[in-house]
Amino acid sequence: MARRRPELLCGAVALGCALLVALKFTCSRAKDVIIPAKPPVSFFSSRSPVLDLFQGQLDYAEYVRRDSEVVLLFFYAPWCGQSIAARSEIEQAASQLSDQVLFVAINCWWNQGKCRKQKHFFYFPVIYLYHRSFGPIEYKGPMSAVYIEKFVRRVMKPLLYIPSQSELLDFLSNYEPGVLGYFEFSGSPQPPGYLTFFTSALHSLKKDYLGTVRFGVITNKHLAKLVSLVQSGSVYLHRHFNTSLVFPREALNYTAENIHKWAFENREALLRWLRPHGGKSLLLNNELKKGPALLVFVPFNPLAESHPLIDEITEVALEYNNCHGDQVVERLLQHLRRVDSPVFRPLAPEPPAQLPEPPPITASPCCNTVVLPHWHSVSRTHNVCELCVNQTTGGVRPSSVGMPQCSFFEMAAALDSFYLKEQTFYHVASGSIECSNFLSSYSPFSYYTACCRTINRAVTGFIDAGHSVFETPAIALSSLEKKCEADPPGSVPHIEENRYLFPDVDVSSTDFTGLSCRTNKTLNIYLLDSNVFWLYAERLGAPSASRVKEFAAIVDVKEESHYILDPEQALRKFTLESFIQNFSVLYSPLKRHLIGRDSAQFPSQRLITEVTTDTFWEVVLQKQDVLLLYYAPWCGFCPSLNHVFIQLARLLPTDTFTVARIDVSQNDLPWEFMVDRLPTVLFFPCNRKDRSVKYPEDLPITLPNLLRFILHHSDPAPAPQNSANPPTKECLQSEAVFQQGHISHLEREIRKLRAEISTLQRAQVQVEAQLSSARRDEHRLLRQKQTLEKQHSLLQRHSEQLQALYEQKTLELQEVARKLQELADASENLLTENTWLKILVATMERKLEGRDGAAALSPPREAASDHPEPPGAPRLPGSSLPPSNSSSTLASERSNENRTD
């Protein structure tokens, strides 16, 4: 075709060229379409006190930083939401400190700026602080103006001046560990070591942005002696419960890095602030794994001069951990309570004072009424016991009783011991009073007395009868009886409730002092700012619409439970102490708090019941069978089961069966009903709620399978007792089918178990083969080790031989070197002699030439031996006149020399 129609070939070539041109034009247009990024604009307003370097001029920022004492650098990205949110906070802090601190904002995102080219940040915003040449100190706290201003002020003034005793007590009684330095400024304006101590305080802020270690300076030598500081330049670390330390200058170099490292390694944490940064972190996980934790949410203003609520919490922590009754801690507690002490004594450990011998106790002991649970056979009778705590009159007691009311822990120990012995008092109906004494299991100085009698529950005048029998101090119990009737059976009033019942009786603080050492459930106390982290409090159970943002909760990860302080009670010292005491006893009266959403009010005709935390027990423990589905909104497979459960609910009678579901993402459940996967189905049989059954995981969730599962595990209908109506054939067949299904189920379980056994046997064979292979490898490696040891010994001997040979060759080389040195010396002597000989030969040649010229001018004469030497002839010192035949001899030697040359 090309040969016949050449115009087709030309057309194809032209079309291809047109396509290439169009493609090239399209590509060039695509490159031209790319629009360069717009130049950056100012991030802060022109009236802002913040210097905005929106083009990323990092070099200019470094230039202006040299002229300022304290500088804050705010690195931001214009598109970052957190940078935009922090902009107003930075401006607010700058407005307060602009006359003392230079605030510089740098755009570190524009690709043409030096900041983007030199800095590589993983997040924005980033805040750096510089104190003269020290820095950068990165701030990682909350992006709030008050927190930023507080941190900047601490960088500006990292040392706190302590001029008086009261301020020294304020410094030492603080919950944060304190480091004090003593310097005498009378001798010089800057004493030795002061600048190092100042830099160590900046190092601590760089290490921990929370500033958990406070640094102070003492200039008064009398004030310094109170904390065991005598020499100027010494540093003191205060600890509440361990021995306070002085920086060991003889063991460590006195440098800023060593001082702050020593303080951080030896500090004592009384309370700790938790400030999650909002991203992924293990902060809470790492702290809660250490043990039960008391989380206290308080509204905190970092710029406030005093914090009364935190002082009360500090007092609680000091008393809770004061296990040995330390006098220094007691003095600090008195200062926190603002109790004036007449004399300020040194804060050094003193010998314990001799306790006076306690007088014998003659007052009435502490008693409490205990009602034992009634027997089922005699449901209207109770065993009522009067339990009294008695102290021994002889021996030495650790402390004296200040009031007739016994402590909380003494009564708790008495109740524990009593319930261990209560089988002695279980009598069906006894009109007599039985008493028994038993020793305390906690203290050898106490014993308990229990007197019991059986009374009828319906008997009136129980209080009067009880008083006449036991002869104990009487109190009106009408309000207490009403309160006990309102509470569920078996509940114990809390300590804080007892305080409201007995307002005139003040529980001594000694019951709480040192509690952390008397319980196995020691608490770690943490503080959180409710103004910033109230969301965490709401997740723990705090009301979202609370007027005062104060909340306390105890979280025990090991027990998978947490308890909250009643939000209606004010967060004060005595409520925290009661809360901690209730948690610390062996049988804690605190109830586990379960988080759940509000109960939904669904119409009565709804087929599936929605269960929440509040309605769980009501639905599950009702007198009918319950099938419960566990689901979550993020579970993709869960919605596909809705139609199955709706059909099941339509088939089953609603008066005897309940189909329900619960959202586990919004509701907490008791640990015995928790599940590890979704969806999960549990069946709770009627009157046998403790025998809940889990739907098999390997069985598909279908309507027939669910019906078989329910029929298999539900209670069969009771057979009629009338023998005149024998069971019908259909009933017998259904019973046989039921039994056959049960047998088939058991056979399937047996087959599963056999398969698992065979799998385990195969795994055992594989493990044994691996063990034998490992043993063979061990023997092989042992042989290789022995071979290597032999080779090593041979190499060692060979090395010794080479060493000896090396030493021998070294000696020989030294001898050769000595001989070469001798040859060199001899060669130098020969060269010197050769030079003298050459000079002598040249002299003799000139002399002979002079004689030959004289002989040619004068007639020959007979030479005489006494002919005088011609003048001007050179003569070597010590040389004699050569003989007459010397000329011939020299001529012959010269001819010989010429020949040799």
Side-chain angles (χ1 to χ4, degrees):
M1 286 291 293
R3 286 194 296 267
R4 298 178 192 172
R5 304 281 300 274
E7 64 276 5
L8 293 178
L9 180 60
C10 295
V13 172
L15 181 60
C17 294
L19 288 175
L20 289 175
V21 172
L23 181 61
K24 183 177 180 180
F25 179 75
T26 304
C27 294
S28 63
R29 287 291 303 273
K31 290 181 181 179
D32 297 336
V33 168
I34 299 176
I35 302 175
K38 295 182 180 180
V41 296
S42 180
F43 192 67
F44 290 85
S45 64
S46 58
R47 297 183 301 273
S48 175
V50 181
L51 175 62
D52 188 8
L53 304 179
F54 56 89
Q55 292 182 346
Q57 303 99 313
L58 189 62
D59 50 354
Y60 184 72
E62 293 293 331
Y63 172 74
V64 298
R65 187 175 65 83
R66 300 191 191 100
D67 299 333
S68 301
E69 184 177 1
V70 179
V71 178
L72 184 143
L73 299 182
F74 177 72
F75 298 95
Y76 67 90
W79 53 265
C80 176
Q82 295 183 1
S83 300
I84 297 173
R87 174 171 52 187
S88 60
E89 306 294 333
I90 292 291
E91 286 184 338
Q92 184 177 349
S95 63
Q96 299 292 330
L97 300 171
S98 59
D99 56 341
Q100 306 174 60
V101 180
L102 176 63
F103 284 77
V104 181
I106 306 174
N107 181 2
C108 213
W109 184 254
W110 190 43
N111 57 356
Q112 300 298 327
K114 284 192 175 181
C115 184
R116 177 67 181 273
K117 296 177 180 178
Q118 297 181 11
K119 300 288 185 180
H120 302 283
F121 295 117
F122 295 99
Y123 55 89
F124 288 102
V126 177
I127 296 178
Y128 282 170
L129 277 95
Y130 291 86
H131 190 286
R132 291 194 179 95
S133 60
F134 186 89
I137 304 173
E138 185 177 359
Y139 173 73
K140 299 180 181 178
M143 289 298 170
S144 175
V146 290
Y147 278 97
I148 296 173
E149 182 180 349
K150 177 65 175 179
F151 187 75
V152 174
R153 290 185 182 274
R154 291 200 70 167
V155 173
M156 294 168 55
K157 188 180 177 181
L159 300 180
L160 182 64
Y161 175 57
I162 310 295
S164 62
Q165 295 179 358
S166 61
E167 295 193 14
L168 177 60
L169 280 177
D170 287 337
F171 185 85
L172 297 179
S173 60
N174 196 279
Y175 59 91
E176 295 178 339
V179 179
L180 288 171
Y182 167 53
F183 300 95
E184 292 183 354
F185 283 84
S186 58
S188 63
Q190 190 176 86
Y194 175 75
L195 185 59
T196 302
F197 187 69
F198 184 90
T199 310
S200 67
L202 293 176
H203 270 287
S204 69
L205 292 175
K206 184 177 182 180
K207 179 73 175 180
D208 190 353
Y209 70 95
L210 296 176
T212 54
V213 178
R214 307 168 78 237
F215 283 75
V217 174
I218 299 176
T219 59
N220 189 341
K221 63 179 180 180
H222 301 289
L223 196 61
K225 287 182 180 179
L226 298 177
V227 289
S228 304
L229 296 181
V230 179
Q231 297 180 355
S232 177
S234 54
V235 179
Y236 169 83
L237 173 63
H238 177 70
R239 299 193 294 185
H240 293 95
F241 306 110
N242 294 316
T243 305
S244 299
L245 303 176
V246 177
F247 182 75
R249 303 189 67 165
E250 64 280 356
L252 294 174
N253 293 330
Y254 191 79
T255 61
E257 185 71 24
N258 286 343
I259 291 175
H260 109 86
K261 185 178 180 181
W262 168 77
F264 267 81
E265 290 177 353
N266 298 283
R267 62 179 174 173
E268 182 183 67
L270 181 64
L271 301 173
R272 181 176 177 185
W273 282 98
L274 293 180
R275 293 192 175 102
H277 56 74
K280 277 190 175 181
S281 71
L282 297 176
L283 175 64
L284 291 175
N285 178 68
N286 294 336
E287 295 299 329
L288 295 179
K289 285 195 304 185
K290 297 178 181 178
L294 173 62
L295 304 177
V296 184
F297 294 83
V298 294
F300 180 69
N301 182 11
L303 300 177
E305 296 182 357
S306 62
H307 303 88
L309 182 55
I310 295 181
D311 290 341
E312 290 190 17
I313 299 172
T314 303
E315 186 179 348
V316 171
L318 284 172
E319 291 184 359
Y320 181 67
N321 293 282
N322 189 16
C323 301
H324 305 291
D326 192 275
Q327 296 180 3
V328 177
V329 178
E330 292 294 338
R331 209 166 305 143
L332 296 178
L333 285 171
Q334 290 180 4
H335 180 74
L336 285 173
R337 301 184 189 113
R338 297 300 186 267
V339 176
D340 297 332
S341 56
V343 180
F344 184 81
R345 292 173 292 177
L347 294 176
E350 300 178 0
Q354 187 69 25
L355 294 177
E357 190 70 21
I361 296 177
T362 57
S364 60
C366 172
C367 299
N368 195 6
T369 302
V370 180
V371 180
L372 300 183
H374 57 77
W375 292 92
H376 293 287
S377 58
V378 187
S379 60
R380 297 182 63 81
T381 58
H382 280 284
N383 283 337
V384 179
C385 300
E386 191 74 9
L387 181 62
C388 301
V389 179
N390 300 278
Q391 304 290 344
T392 57
T393 57
V396 180
R397 295 185 55 233
S399 62
S400 60
V401 178
M403 58 181 61
Q405 184 182 8
C406 59
S407 67
F408 177 84
F409 288 97
E410 288 176 336
M411 182 53 66
L415 289 173
D416 294 340
S417 301
F418 175 74
Y419 280 116
L420 294 176
K421 302 285 185 179
E422 67 181 4
Q423 66 272 9
T424 309
F425 307 101
Y426 271 126
H427 299 289
V428 176
S430 175
S432 61
I433 301 175
E434 299 183 6
C435 297
S436 176
N437 296 330
F438 44 94
L439 290 175
S440 169
S441 59
Y442 291 92
S443 173
F445 305 103
S446 303
Y447 68 93
Y448 310 128
T449 300
C451 297
C452 300
R453 66 173 296 184
T454 304
I455 65 170
N456 195 317
R457 186 179 182 183
V459 172
T460 59
F462 161 68
I463 302 299
D464 298 334
H467 293 165
S468 63
V469 170
F470 298 115
E471 298 180 358
T472 57
I475 56 174
L477 297 179
S478 59
S479 60
L480 184 61
E481 284 180 346
K482 293 179 181 179
K483 183 174 181 62
C484 292
E485 289 177 0
D487 292 338
S491 63
V492 180
H494 292 197
I495 294 177
E496 56 267 25
E497 295 172 357
N498 292 335
R499 292 189 180 185
Y500 294 116
L501 291 175
F502 308 101
D504 299 333
V505 180
D506 184 17
V507 179
S508 177
S509 63
T510 56
D511 300 335
F512 183 76
T513 302
L515 178 59
S516 64
C517 301
R518 303 198 305 268
T519 179
N520 291 331
K521 296 187 288 186
T522 304
L523 286 170
N524 300 316
I525 304 178
Y526 300 96
L527 298 174
L528 292 96
D529 187 359
S530 58
N531 295 327
V532 182
F533 306 108
W534 187 246
L535 178 63
Y536 293 85
E538 292 180 357
R539 290 294 297 165
L540 289 173
S544 57
S546 178
R547 183 176 59 86
V548 180
K549 292 186 176 182
E550 296 178 358
F551 181 70
I554 295 176
V555 179
D556 192 349
V557 175
K558 184 178 180 180
E559 297 296 333
E560 296 183 356
S561 61
H562 81 276
Y563 312 92
I564 67 171
L565 183 65
D566 188 1
E568 297 181 358
Q569 297 184 11
L571 187 63
R572 293 294 181 264
K573 177 178 179 293
F574 71 92
T575 56
L576 281 177
E577 290 180 354
S578 304
F579 188 44
I580 295 173
Q581 284 180 338
N582 282 326
F583 173 77
S584 302
V585 296
L586 184 61
Y587 299 104
S588 175
L590 297 177
K591 296 181 180 179
R592 177 188 172 191
H593 181 74
L594 300 176
I595 300 175
R597 62 180 181 183
D598 297 335
S599 300
Q601 301 296 332
F602 296 111
S604 58
Q605 63 271 19
R606 188 181 179 90
L607 295 176
I608 300 178
T609 304
E610 190 73 23
V611 180
T612 63
T613 302
D614 299 332
T615 62
F616 181 82
W617 294 108
E618 177 185 353
V619 174
V620 171
L621 297 182
Q622 61 183 348
K623 295 183 178 180
Q624 58 183 6
D625 296 338
V626 178
L627 186 70
L628 183 62
L629 169 66
Y630 290 77
Y631 77 98
W634 47 262
C635 173
F637 183 68
C638 296
S640 63
L641 302 177
N642 291 337
H643 71 284
V644 177
F645 281 86
I646 291 174
Q647 294 179 6
L648 180 66
R650 288 172 178 171
L651 293 176
L652 297 174
T654 58
D655 56 343
T656 60
F657 200 92
T658 301
V659 179
R661 67 174 188 171
I662 184 169
D663 184 0
V664 296
S665 65
Q666 300 291 333
N667 299 275
D668 285 347
L669 293 176
W671 63 269
E672 59 267 26
F673 297 113
M674 294 300 295
V675 295
D676 55 355
R677 59 174 295 177
L678 296 179
T680 298
V681 179
L682 287 180
F683 176 68
F684 297 90
C686 176
N687 299 325
R688 292 185 297 132
K689 300 299 181 179
D690 57 333
R691 299 182 182 179
S692 59
V693 185
K694 184 178 179 181
Y695 188 82
E697 296 179 356
D698 57 344
L699 193 63
I701 302 179
T702 60
L703 184 61
N705 291 339
L706 285 174
L707 288 173
R708 295 191 190 96
F709 174 73
I710 293 171
L711 293 175
H712 176 66
H713 294 285
S714 61
D715 287 335
Q721 300 297 330
N722 189 3
S723 59
N725 296 325
T728 61
K729 184 177 181 181
E730 295 179 355
C731 293
L732 293 176
Q733 289 179 354
S734 62
E735 182 67 20
V737 170
F738 176 77
Q739 294 293 339
Q740 186 64 32
H742 187 60
I743 292 171
S744 62
H745 175 72
L746 292 177
E747 288 178 351
R748 288 196 301 271
E749 294 294 331
I750 291 172
R751 285 195 295 270
K752 290 181 183 178
L753 291 175
R754 288 176 178 174
E756 292 179 358
I757 291 172
S758 61
T759 303
L760 291 175
Q761 289 176 351
R762 289 194 298 270
Q764 181 182 4
V765 171
Q766 293 177 358
V767 170
E768 289 178 352
Q770 293 177 358
L771 286 175
S772 61
S773 176
R775 292 192 188 96
R776 289 194 299 270
D777 293 341
E778 182 182 3
H779 291 308
R780 179 174 53 80
L781 291 175
L782 185 59
R783 290 193 298 270
Q784 290 180 358
K785 179 182 177 183
Q786 293 174 355
T787 304
L788 290 175
E789 287 177 352
K790 291 179 181 179
Q791 293 178 357
H792 178 70
S793 60
L794 292 174
L795 290 174
Q796 188 70 22
R797 288 196 297 270
H798 186 59
S799 175
E800 293 175 356
Q801 293 176 0
L802 290 176
Q803 184 67 23
L805 184 60
Y806 170 75
E807 293 176 355
Q808 180 182 357
K809 295 298 183 182
T810 302
L811 294 175
E812 293 178 358
L813 288 174
Q814 290 177 355
E815 182 67 22
V816 171
R818 185 181 60 79
K819 292 181 179 180
L820 289 175
Q821 186 64 34
E822 292 178 356
L823 290 174
D825 295 340
S827 175
E828 289 179 359
N829 293 334
L830 290 175
L831 288 174
T832 305
E833 293 176 358
N834 188 18
T835 304
W836 283 107
L837 286 175
K838 286 183 178 180
I839 294 172
L840 182 59
V841 169
T843 304
M844 295 306 294
E845 285 180 354
R846 287 195 297 271
K847 184 177 180 182
L848 290 175
E849 289 177 357
R851 284 186 180 181
D852 291 342
L857 296 175
S858 61
R861 291 184 301 177
E862 188 175 347
S865 60
D866 55 353
H867 192 277
E869 184 178 358
R875 186 174 180 180
L876 292 174
S879 61
S880 59
L881 192 63
S884 58
N885 58 352
S886 60
S887 60
S888 60
T889 306
L890 290 174
S892 62
E893 287 180 358
R894 184 176 180 184
S895 62
N896 291 334
E897 185 179 358
N898 292 333
R899 290 194 202 97
T900 304
D901 294 338

